[in-house]
Amino acid sequence: MDDILAEVLAAIEPHRGEGKVADYIPALACVDPSKFGIAFADAGGAVHGAGDFEAAFSIQSISKVFTLSLVLEKVGVAIWDKVGREPSGSAFNSIVQLEREDGRPRNPLINAGAIAVTDQLIGAGDADAAIGALLALLRARSGDAAISVDEEVAASEAATGSRNRSLAWFMKTYGILDNEVETVLGAYFRQCAVAMSCRQLARAALFLAFDGRDPASGAEVVAWHNARRINSVMMLCGHYDNSGEFAYRIGLPGKSGVGGGILAVAPGHGTLAVWSPGLNASGTSAVGALALEKLVDLTGWSVFAPRP
Ligand code: GLN
């Protein structure tokens, strides 16, 4: 695996810095676009990495996978009363579909759907407890108690998050959100602002590659059927209107974030995290996707051609 990652690093070198760094969240605009890191967490829990794989970045929408994991365990199938599980074919922050579909978001990985999931994670509790549960999951699974929210990024998004406020208020009028809009958004902006490295992210998500269990400790993080369902939603919805392209090129469930991270799951093998801040038009890391494409080329991994 170390040789494969070195080969991936060499392959992306001519492309380093490609794509456009997200600037609609001002605190993300100043990230160095030439950064690149990749990590793979294996079936024994060991992490292999190359490039800037120990550098922390803003996980942004990758957080939606972990809040969905917590909520599926917490409220079970009742979450599907609040949010659908169909691909949207639309941008991550689209509002038009919400109106046509009576305020119920298409899936839990677009912004509207993730805001609805965070509302369920808060439940009758408070926003701090919801973020506390998310951080507890990430810290326990990655074995690093230092993982935390970058409050500067959270404040930057809160100050400029008019579109997410529109989505949330719209859902509120349809009774999708139980809590107050600003309470839910406060938690949502903070979950997106969690800072993690590729090493931590790949390790934290390892349960998704092993039917809900952390393969190193044997701990059940989510029920096996939930792990499979989360992977299916990632496969079909993880990259918004770019999900088909990602499935076609990479063939693994994945989730992008506008911080330039991508998490990908190779069931039975392990998890991959890649980071390169430049994005394509759909908000997926341009060089990150190239790197994953190269990696599956070298390993032969695909959910469409499972290998023992
Ligand atoms: N925090 C970002 C937003 O809500 C997350 C979007 C993303 O990573 N695709 O706009």
Side-chain angles (χ1 to χ4, degrees):
M1 183 46 68
D2 291 322
D3 291 346
I4 287 173
L5 294 181
E7 206 172 321
V8 170
L9 191 59
I12 66 90
E13 207 51 58
H15 301 279
R16 203 180 262 272
E18 284 179 7
K20 189 174 172 298
V21 174
D23 55 8
Y24 75 100
I25 301 172
L28 294 183
C30 45
V31 177
D32 177 357
S34 69
K35 295 284 184 192
F36 175 85
I38 184 164
F40 171 66
D42 69 21
V47 180
H48 310 256
D52 303 308
F53 77 105
E54 315 244 32
F57 61 91
S58 195
I59 69 169
Q60 292 294 317
S61 287
I62 301 172
S63 64
K64 297 168 181 176
V65 171
F66 297 101
T67 50
L68 178 62
S69 301
L70 288 168
V71 166
L72 271 174
E73 289 296 303
K74 183 182 172 199
V75 308
V77 293
I79 186 61
W80 306 120
D81 297 338
K82 300 284 189 180
V83 55
R85 46 178 191 254
E86 294 293 343
S88 69
S90 305
F92 64 88
N93 56 3
S94 172
I95 196 163
V96 64
Q97 204 167 50
L98 257 190
E99 175 157 30
R100 235 188 273 118
E101 299 180 4
D102 298 332
R104 182 170 171 265
R106 269 287 173 97
N107 68 64
L109 300 181
I110 53 174
N111 284 13
I115 291 167
V117 168
T118 297
D119 177 55
Q120 290 298 305
L121 186 60
I122 296 170
D126 60 36
D128 284 347
I131 295 301
L134 172 65
L135 289 175
L137 172 70
L138 296 173
R139 289 169 179 167
R141 299 281 47 99
S142 66
D144 192 334
I147 291 170
S148 55
V149 174
D150 182 331
E151 297 293 351
E152 193 188 326
V153 173
S156 178
E157 186 166 4
T160 55
S162 305
R163 178 76 73 98
N164 285 322
R165 278 194 181 85
S166 307
L167 295 169
W169 277 111
F170 200 79
M171 287 190 285
K172 187 75 178 167
T173 68
Y174 280 97
I176 297 288
L177 299 185
D178 295 339
N179 291 284
E180 290 306 319
V181 163
E182 281 302 325
T183 304
V184 182
L185 287 175
Y188 173 77
F189 294 143
R190 294 186 75 214
Q191 79 177 56
C192 290
V194 169
M196 289 174 79
S197 65
C198 290
R199 169 193 284 283
Q200 293 165 337
L201 205 47
R203 183 64 187 82
L206 199 50
F207 65 93
L208 290 173
F210 294 95
D211 253 354
R213 278 185 193 280
D214 188 301
S217 66
E220 186 186 83
V221 183
V222 298
W224 64 267
H225 54 266
N226 281 340
R228 294 179 189 189
R229 288 165 183 167
I230 294 162
N231 284 334
S232 77
V233 173
M234 286 172 76
M235 186 58 137
L236 291 170
C237 316
H239 305 270
Y240 320 110
D241 49 344
N242 197 226
S243 299
E245 177 74 7
F246 190 87
Y248 179 90
R249 284 171 55 194
I250 288 132
L252 299 174
K255 182 72 206 86
S256 61
V258 292
I262 306 176
L263 172 68
V265 180
H269 299 290
T271 38
L272 295 149
V274 60
W275 173 52
S276 170
L279 309 175
N280 69 13
S282 303
T284 299
S285 170
V287 179
L290 269 181
L292 291 173
E293 197 173 12
K294 178 73 182 172
L295 188 136
V296 296
D297 196 36
L298 292 169
T299 57
W301 293 341
S302 166
V303 294
F304 302 109
R307 297 183 171 202

